[in-house]
Amino acid sequence: MNTALNSIFTTLAEAAEQSRAQGDKWIVIDCAYQHLDALRLHDYPQVLEQILALVETYPELDYGGPGPFGMLIEAQAIAAYEGALLASLARQPSCQVLGWLSRTMQLEDAERNALGLISRARFAQLLEDVQVHPSVPEGCVDFAQFCQEDDQPET
């Protein structure tokens, strides 16, 4: 793993710990913005892996919507990150990752199918799985329910 990248994520983990301790989301968000340009210089899959590991370690934190990490992630094609988001949610649900995945559901079904992305039925099942996950953080159940309601077809 890249030493410079590890150094950035050590700093981000310290900021996340401070955010948790002080109840101030802006500590980690501001830190992420400070490192955003440097993160863009690194190998995207490694950066994504580190972002998700950080969020899984501090799943209760708010990293912005979509926030600096979301901006970095969403600059790629959905197919480049959807699988990693799904795996992250299976390991440790978080509102943040669920929010990023939910944003991908804005694509029309035909486009989702053409790109080989998850179906609405798979997303609905994922939302159910998140709600019963043994380590789902407080508030994430409500957010998963909100996503279920938001993803219902309009009549």
Side-chain angles (χ1 to χ4, degrees):
M1 184 66 63
N2 183 312
T3 304
L5 185 60
N6 283 340
S7 177
I8 292 169
F9 276 95
T10 297
T11 301
L12 288 165
E14 291 167 357
E17 188 62 42
Q18 289 175 2
S19 284
R20 174 188 276 169
Q22 296 178 29
D24 183 353
K25 71 179 184 179
W26 294 107
I27 296 171
V28 72
I29 292 171
D30 289 345
C31 185
Y33 274 121
Q34 290 170 1
H35 292 283
L36 196 56
D37 288 337
L39 290 173
R40 287 186 176 116
L41 300 174
H42 293 278
D43 180 61
Y44 176 77
Q46 288 182 348
V47 172
L48 178 59
E49 179 183 325
Q50 293 261 22
I51 289 170
L52 295 175
L54 179 71
V55 173
E56 289 170 27
T57 303
Y58 301 94
E60 76 284 2
L61 295 181
D62 180 346
Y63 298 85
F69 292 145
M71 289 171 41
L72 183 68
I73 291 168
E74 292 175 353
Q76 303 294 316
I78 294 172
Y81 62 85
E82 182 186 66
L85 298 183
L86 292 168
S88 178
L89 288 169
R91 289 187 299 266
Q92 173 57 67
S94 67
C95 289
Q96 192 68 52
V97 174
L98 188 56
W100 292 330
L101 186 62
S102 179
R103 288 169 57 88
T104 72
M105 298 307 293
Q106 295 173 8
L107 289 177
E108 297 294 328
D109 290 343
E111 187 174 359
R112 297 189 66 66
N113 291 338
L115 294 172
L117 302 174
I118 65 167
S119 66
R120 293 206 180 280
R122 171 70 178 98
F123 182 64
Q125 182 58 57
L126 173 96
L127 294 171
E128 293 290 329
D129 294 346
V130 163
Q131 292 176 60
V132 298
H133 194 283
S135 60
V136 64
E138 186 177 330
C140 198
V141 171
D142 292 340
F143 186 62
Q145 290 170 345
F146 170 79
C147 290
Q148 280 178 314
E149 294 166 9
D150 191 50
D151 195 49
Q152 295 300 312
E154 294 182 18
T155 54

